[in-house]
Amino acid sequence: MKRFFLVVALSVAVPASAQTGSHWYNAPADVPQITLRPFLDVSSHTFTASKTFDAVFGERSAPFWGGGLQVVVWRGRVYTELGASRLLKKNGELVGERAFVSDGVAHGLGIPLRSTIKSLELVAGYRFNVSPWVIPYVGAGLGNYHYTEESDFADPSENLDVEHRGSIFQAGAELRVHRWIGVAGDAH
């Protein structure tokens, strides 16, 4: 574990020559101490239980939409963000059918099934101000995920309503297309 932190520390270390500003971008002096940045999130999630989701819903991934607020401090270097998202499907639901697996083959039962997934995530991280137009970042945080599954003809005990909490690690880059607008892509 110590080796990991040493590698991270060395990979973000900047040579002394960068202190002159010739190799490292310094944010302009007019950057506010605290910046509030609302954001829109459009993403695709691939499910860990891909065989199950493929058998039940006919797909291994689904589009999500959401948004949140990012608070950036320390001249644009440190951020915290709170975001929420849900499935981008009709009525926010995945629609499929109950299934069972026999000898590795999924068989549909013809019983309609609806599922919803909602997430709430809190992440904090660091933005590497290496240029005014491209800003790499890394972060870590916690997420809460709410999954429901129900069928019209199911006994209430057969329906599912669960929450899961997990860790988040992200790395990506933001491309500034305008002073007030940026587009980011990350692995999350």
Side-chain angles (χ1 to χ4, degrees), residues 82-93:
L82 179 63
S85 64
R86 67 176 296 156
L87 279 169
L88 180 62
K89 292 285 191 173
K90 182 180 179 184
N91 300 325
E93 297 176 332

Side-chain angles (χ1 to χ4, degrees), residues 53-65:
F53 275 84
D54 191 35
V56 175
F57 301 110
E59 52 193 308
R60 296 173 183 219
S61 63
F64 279 70
W65 69 274

Side-chain angles (χ1 to χ4, degrees), residues 106-165:
H107 303 280
L109 297 175
I111 301 170
L113 173 71
R114 292 176 312 283
S115 177
T116 63
I117 303 172
K118 298 175 186 173
S119 70
L120 182 64
E121 300 174 338
L122 178 63
V123 177
Y126 187 82
R127 297 163 40 96
F128 300 92
N129 290 340
V130 295
S131 104
W133 303 108
V134 178
I135 305 165
Y137 58 89
V138 295
L142 299 171
N144 185 63
Y145 308 94
H146 185 199
Y147 178 81
T148 62
E149 184 179 283
E150 58 184 32
S151 295
D152 293 334
F153 305 110
D155 182 81
S157 66
E158 295 173 325
N159 291 328
L160 193 59
D161 188 349
V162 296
E163 286 191 37
H164 173 76
R165 288 169 189 80

